[in-house]
Each structure stands twice: as structure tokens, then as C-alpha cells.
């Protein structure tokens, strides 16, 4: 998912949360012991890329204000507009960064930077990288060319290869305070603070995920799926057709399908909580009116089984199985 550039601040103060990461980077600069390879590790959508860009701008600015980039010099302006020739962003092509992308990067890095004091290559979502591509990066990570820093980003949940981990200094990122996320969402999207707070909870304090849920109207599709699951009779032609159509809609989300599955997973968790009388921890507050009927329809044993099906679907998608087929099997299992 691309973040709208105009919303991206070019100052540490403008980035919410992540005090630990900021402090760690600033201290490393002050003490002149900045590693050549950094791993920004934490949940998606909490500011890893934004912080990387701000840090790169600060390292290269001509009139730094303390730790902050000045925001005015030619270098800062290029960082802001995304046109700095020495800030290289490598994002996954499809599911992961491919070996060809790493080879291209190595070719570029063999030449000196165009104008930067410190050139920064940002490699995103490194946890999805296959062993072959990762191995071709190891030498560069260990000994980057002069005036070059590599910043890698990864989800905390992701399986990062130990050979990559051991060559980077890890900078930890955390979920954002949900109240802060809600405030920003309410402002950006012009929605009620209450809906924004629900959304922030669904996104588990990830501004990026919350924006994605809004932009792709994932709540609308979640609502449709839940409605159908609550009223369709299993093994009827109507059910087969309706769930088939929903599976097609879901598959059209492509790389964002995982986020829809996350939402359905929190819904199932909510039903288990509701069934056990723990309504205080429920996340999908807007669906509460449908919970009594859902808990009459499915026992907690059945709900646990459905959670296992969600997990299976996620694993199948990670292995590049056909998304429509995966969703069809999943939705029939959820019914
Ligand atoms: Zn500047």
C-alpha cells in the first residue's frame, strides 16, 4: 500500500510514537557509531518507512536543526518530493523482493552516490524475502559500499533469516497509541471519533492498516460476509452461489486480502469473548447487535475450528495458492 506523500512529515517531531526508535537513532548519530545496516522491525503501518526517509533526510541536510532535517535546503526538498537520487526504495515485486531487484541494487551501489553525504537504500518487507534473494544481499549488508547505509524493514511476526538479522542493528518499532491513531483518522477521513476509535482498535494501533481498511472499504465487505454467514443455509444452491461471489470479491483485494482475513479473525475472537461473557474486550463494536444470533448459531468449539480455518487460509495464501479457491473453501468452512 502506498501512503499519500503529502501526509508524510519530514520531521521526527511530526511522526507520532516510536520514541525508542528515534532516541536510538539520534544517540547513534551523536556518538558517531551508526551501523551501516539497520533493521526497522515492527508491525506494518506504524511509521517505519516515514522514519527511514526522515532519518535519511536528516543525515544529508545542509542546515540541520538539532536532529531534525531543515526541510528547506535542496536536499530536504528532494527528499520531501520523493525525487532524491540517493534515496533508493526497493519494495516487493509481487510477494517479495526478488533476487533480480537485489542484483540491480548492487549494480547501482557500485557507483558513488550522486550528491548525498550518505546514500540510503531502503529495502521493504524483508521478512517476505526468499533465501536465494536474501543470500545475495548478505555481502552488501556486511560491507556496504562507502557513503552508503542500508535500512531494512520487517514485520515483527515475520520470519527474518538469521543471516540477515545478525548483520543488522535492530531498531524496534511498536503499535501506535490507539487514541492518537483515532484522532488522525477522524481528521483525515472526516469520520466520527467513535468510529475512528473502533477502526484504530481493529488495526491494532497501525495507522497504515487503518487507512487501508478505510480506503478499500474492507468494513463493507466484512459486513456483507458476516451477514451472509449468519443467514445462509449450508449446502444450498443459494449459499454456494453467494459464497462463490463473495470469494471473488475478496480475491480482487489481491495483496490486501490478508487484511480482510485479519478483520474476520478479530470477529471470530469477538464471538468467543462474547460467548464467554467477556464483552469488555470486544473490538468489532459495530457488529455487537448480531452477536447473540451468531453465538446461538455456532458453539465455541465450532468457532475455534473456524479460527483454525483462517490460519490455514493465511498459510495457503503465503504459498501463493489461488486466492479465489482459498476464499471459497474458507467461506464454506465459516458457514
Ligand atoms: Zn535540509
Amino acid at each position: 500500500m502506498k501512503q499519500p506523500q503529502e501526509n508524510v512529515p519530514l520531521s521526527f517531531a511530526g511522526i507520532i510514537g516510536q520514541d525508542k526508535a528515534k532516541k536510538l537513532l539520534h544517540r547513534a548519530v551523536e556518538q558517531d557509531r551508526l551501523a551501516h545496516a539497520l533493521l526497522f522491525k515492527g508491525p506494518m503501518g506504524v511509521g517505519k518507512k516515514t522514519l527511514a526517509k526522515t532519518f535519511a533526510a536528516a543525515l544529508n541536510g545542509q542546515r540541520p536543526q538539532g536532529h531534525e532535517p531543515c526541510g528547506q535546503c535542496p536536499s530536504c526538498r528532494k527528499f520531501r518530493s520523493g525525487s532524491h537520487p540517493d534515496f533508493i526504495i526497493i519494495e516487493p515485486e509481487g510477494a517479495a523482493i526478488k533476487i533480480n531487484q537485489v542484483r540491480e541494487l548492487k549494480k547501482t551501489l557500485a557507483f558513488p552516490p550522486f550528491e548525498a553525504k550518505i546514500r540510503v537504500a531502503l529495502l521493504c518487507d524483508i521478512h517476505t524475502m526468499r533465501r536465494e534473494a536474501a543470500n545475495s544481499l548478505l555481502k552488501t549488508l556486511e560491507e556496504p559500499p562507502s557513503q552508503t547505509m542500508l535500512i531494512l524493514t520487517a514485520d515483527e511476526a515475520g520470519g527474518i533469516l538469521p543471516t540477515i538479522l545478525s548483520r543488522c542493528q535492530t531498531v524496534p518499532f511498536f503499535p501506535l497509541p490507539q487514541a492518537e491513531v483515532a484522532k488522525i483518522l477522524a481528521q483525515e477521513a472526516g469520520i466520527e471519533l467513535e468510529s475512528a476509535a473502533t477502526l484504530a482498535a481493529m488495526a491494532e494501533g497501525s495507522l497504515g492498516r487503518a487507512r487501508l481498511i478505510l480506503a478499500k472499504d474492507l468494513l463493507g465487505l466484512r459486513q456483507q460476509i458476516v451477514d451472509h454467514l449468519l443467514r445462509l443455509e449450508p449446502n444450498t444452491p443459494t449459499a454456494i452461489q453467494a459464497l462463490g461471489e463473495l470469494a471473488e470479491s475478496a480475491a480482487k483485494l489481491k495483496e490486501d486480502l490478508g487484511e480482510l482475513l485479519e478483520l474476520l479473525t478479530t470477529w471470530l475472537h469477538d464471538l468467543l469473548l462474547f460467548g464467554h461473557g467477556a464483552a469488555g474486550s470486544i473490538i468489532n463494536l459495530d457488529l455487537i447487535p448480531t452477536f447473540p444470533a451468531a453465538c446461538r448459531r455456532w458453539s465455541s468449539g465450532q468457532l475455534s475450528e473456524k479460527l483454525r480455518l483462517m490460519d490455514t487460509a493465511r498459510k495457503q495464501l503465503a504459498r501463493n495458492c489461488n486466492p479465489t479457491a482459498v476464499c471459497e473453501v474458507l467461506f464454506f468452512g465459516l458457514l
Side-chain angles (χ1 to χ4, degrees), residues 10 57 60-64 68-77:
L10 198 66
N60 285 293
Q62 284 146 21
R63 297 187 291 272
E68 295 284 8
C70 73
Q72 307 296 326
C73 68
S75 166
C76 283
R77 285 209 296 270

Side-chain angles (χ1 to χ4, degrees), residues 7 14-16 176 178-191 193 196 207 211:
N7 286 336
I15 298 171
I16 55 168
L176 303 171
Q178 289 182 11
E180 292 283 325
V181 173
K183 242 191 283 172
I184 294 175
L185 288 173
Q187 233 165 37
E188 267 182 15
I191 53 177
L193 193 57
L207 186 56
R211 282 179 176 145

Side-chain angles (χ1 to χ4, degrees), residues 1-8 45-47 49-50 207-208 211:
M1 190 208 45
K2 300 267 180 288
Q3 284 188 8
Q5 287 297 312
E6 62 270 24
N7 286 336
V8 177
V46 297
K49 284 183 222 170
T50 311
L207 186 56
R211 282 179 176 145

Side-chain angles (χ1 to χ4, degrees), residues 135-155:
N135 282 341
S136 88
L137 185 65
L138 293 183
K139 187 102 198 346
T140 315
L141 274 182
E142 207 156 64
E143 255 179 277
S146 64
Q147 294 175 269
T148 300
M149 174 187 290
L150 291 154
I151 300 181
L152 280 50
T153 74
D155 282 11

